[in-house]
Each structure stands twice: as structure tokens, then as C-alpha cells.
Amino acid sequence: MMQPTASSASYEGKAKRVTVRSDGLVELRFKDAVTAQNGQKRAELAEKGILSSQISELLFGYLAAAGIPTHDRGRLDERTLLAEHARMFALEAVVRFKVAGSLHRRTGLSDGTPCSPPIVEFYYKRDDLGDPLLNEAHIRLL
């Protein structure tokens, strides 16, 4: 998994482009791309990048209000946040409010079946392993 370093100018993933600035900070520019099945399905959703940046900004605010430090350093424009360079840990959390995609394939439940309460799933962000589903014991082991 490539991440931007002081020697690289940027990294582009499925959801955002990370650009390292000369001052050492990074710009996080959120894209309108929507992907599924580990990037095998791809589409564009107008203004998704704007919403993603707003959601990220809200989450950083909640963390800061709880006394948890973040790398957030503010907003640059409607889809770009400024942040300190940070080493990403390879864990993705997916919150499912309805059955869709891989949850449908794994359970056989109908698409659109409500998940009440919502289901939280964790995935190991390793393309070479196919981003496998993890449980809490796996996360502690890693």
C-alpha cells in the first residue's frame, strides 16, 4: 500500500487524493468516485467528495471535543481538508444500515434488509490479501 512520504508528491486512492505540501502538511482532496467490491465496481456520484469531506470534518470535530488529538488542520475548500502527515493504519470500518454487496453474498439476506442495530465490520486494508474481513481478535493480533 503506497502512502505519501516527504519524498513523494502525492498518492491517489479510490476515495481521495493526498498531496504532500512543501511545508510538510498534506491536502486531502475527496473525490466523487463510488466503489464497491474492492474497486471492481466504480461510478461517479456528483458532490460525493464534498459530502465525504464534510463528514470527515465532523468526525474530527467530535474526536477533538472528546479530547482525542487528530491530524486535522482545517478546511481549504469545499472538498479539501488540510492535515498533518500521518502514518495510516490499515484498518477500515464499514457501518451497514442495510444489507447490500458482500453482506448480501455472505448471508443470503435480501438487498435492502434493514440492519437494526447497524452492523460494524472491520477490514484489513491490504490489496494483496483482498482486504479481508477481520474480527476483534484479528485486530488485536495485528
Side-chain angles (χ1 to χ4, degrees):
M1 172 182 337
M2 185 185 140
Q3 293 182 19
T5 64
S7 63
S8 71
S10 67
Y11 162 76
E12 189 157 353
K14 293 178 271 192
K16 72 183 83 60
R17 179 179 185 86
V18 180
T19 303
V20 180
R21 298 172 14 149
S22 61
D23 61 6
L25 296 176
V26 295
E27 295 180 10
L28 307 173
R29 183 158 183 87
F30 293 82
K31 297 163 40 175
D32 290 338
V34 180
T35 62
Q37 297 176 350
N38 200 20
Q40 294 175 15
K41 288 186 175 182
R42 181 178 280 293
E44 293 287 315
L45 181 62
E47 300 187 5
K48 185 252 185 187
I50 295 169
L51 293 172
S52 293
S53 75
Q54 291 171 345
I55 291 167
S56 294
E57 187 175 44
L58 283 171
L59 292 172
F60 287 138
Y62 288 130
L63 291 170
I68 300 169
T70 73
H71 65 307
D72 178 47
R73 293 299 168 260
R75 174 170 294 287
L76 294 178
D77 61 41
E78 65 182 359
R79 63 176 66 236
T80 309
L81 300 180
L82 184 64
E84 289 184 31
H85 192 276
R87 191 174 135 271
M88 183 183 85
F89 57 96
L91 185 66
E92 176 183 26
V94 175
V95 181
R96 298 186 183 272
F97 295 93
K98 293 182 179 181
V99 172
S102 64
L103 184 58
H104 163 72
R105 287 190 301 282
R106 289 191 315 256
T107 64
L109 293 170
S110 298
D111 277 342
T113 300
C115 299
S116 183
I119 295 173
V120 179
E121 297 176 333
F122 297 100
Y123 293 89
Y124 191 21
K125 295 299 292 174
R126 287 275 307 266
D127 289 342
D128 60 327
L129 299 176
D131 295 348
L133 180 69
L134 299 178
N135 64 35
E136 290 183 31
H138 297 136
I139 294 167
R140 279 192 294 278
L141 177 64
L142 290 169

